[in-house]
Amino acid sequence: MDAIGNRPYDRPDMQILQRIPEKAGRPGTWLLLLIVLGGILRLACVLGPFDWFVSFFLADDYFYYAQTAWNVVHGYGSSFDQGFTHHNGYHPLYLLLHLPLFWAGLSKEMVVRAGVLLLVLAGLGSVLQSYRLGKRMGLRWRALWVPAILSLDLYAVKSSLNGFETLLVVFLCLTLVISLLEQRRGLWSGLWLGLTTLARVEFGVFGLAIVLFYAPRRRWRDLLEATAVAALLVVPWLLWSYLNFGSVLPLSGVSKAMHGGWSGLSEGLGVFAGRLPFLMMGTPFETRIPANFGFATGVLLLTLIVRGGRKVWWCLPP
């Protein structure tokens, strides 16, 4: 043992370490592999036995979208019960994407599978866009971490098949950010902002990010173009919703997040902060961690997210 301990220290061959990425190939090849594997995993679920797929993956909220779209196509309007009562309790883009499926005369089973496949495409698009964003920030191999999680993590896979519009929002948000970083014209920023808002109405607050991006750079024409295009897409929905239901937000979302009004907004934010750690770690932890600890952890995570944004400010072009 003494002889071994007295041997001189041999430094590792750094050239070997530097050649590891070269032998591993190009990051784009691994990205394609992640997208293919993620697609196969999701398709195996979507195309599996229908009863199993519905009972294991789909949330009840999805049928709120599908049934309302069916009623719209068959002349009953924005209703869940064939015209007896009307509602705006959904985010419009995902419902609009269902209308061509019913117009094409597909069966309800085929519509359900096709509707979830739209979310699968949005999820795989998010894998691609998250890599592009990481690469834009100067990362190369490390830019594959987030795509790997979005593609292969089983919690992320199940979340992409539950019938919520979440992945549609993620894909559009990433595309909007990339459009800004790539110095695209304001027309494109307005298009992605409008679609993001239609995918989930409260994400219209991203318009403030566009103002903060264009105004300091005095890109007034781009700001005007973005505002005009986004307004052209979103304002008709907001007017219809407000004139018919007295709210630009889906009333079901107001009831859940704000408990019926602005007075419950703070309570809704508290619920979100308390749920955030479990959304990041998985729901099985929810029954094992005290609620107060979860809320404190959620507030800490939100604080770190806000403060961490300053560290990546350098990646924005001048």
Side-chain angles (χ1 to χ4, degrees), residues 171-232:
F171 169 72
L172 291 170
C173 285
L174 289 172
T175 305
L176 171 60
V177 173
I178 291 172
S179 176
L180 290 172
L181 296 179
E182 291 182 346
Q183 301 281 17
R184 297 288 183 89
R185 286 185 57 185
L187 292 173
W188 290 102
S189 301
L191 172 65
W192 299 121
L193 174 62
L195 292 176
T196 301
T197 306
L198 291 177
R200 193 165 181 90
V201 178
E202 57 266 34
F203 274 70
V205 297
F206 265 69
L208 179 60
I210 289 183
V211 173
L212 294 176
F213 184 86
Y214 284 138
R217 294 164 176 78
R218 300 184 180 277
R219 294 173 57 180
W220 306 117
R221 179 177 177 178
D222 286 326
L223 180 57
L224 181 61
E225 289 179 352
T227 303
V229 173
L232 186 64

Side-chain angles (χ1 to χ4, degrees), residues 274 278 285-297:
F278 308 119
F285 290 92
E286 191 168 1
T287 57
R288 304 176 186 177
I289 299 177
N292 291 334
F293 180 79
F295 173 77
T297 306

Side-chain angles (χ1 to χ4, degrees), residues 39-52:
I40 293 173
L41 189 58
R42 287 160 174 80
L43 283 175
C45 298
V46 175
L47 301 180
F50 187 68
D51 291 341
W52 167 79

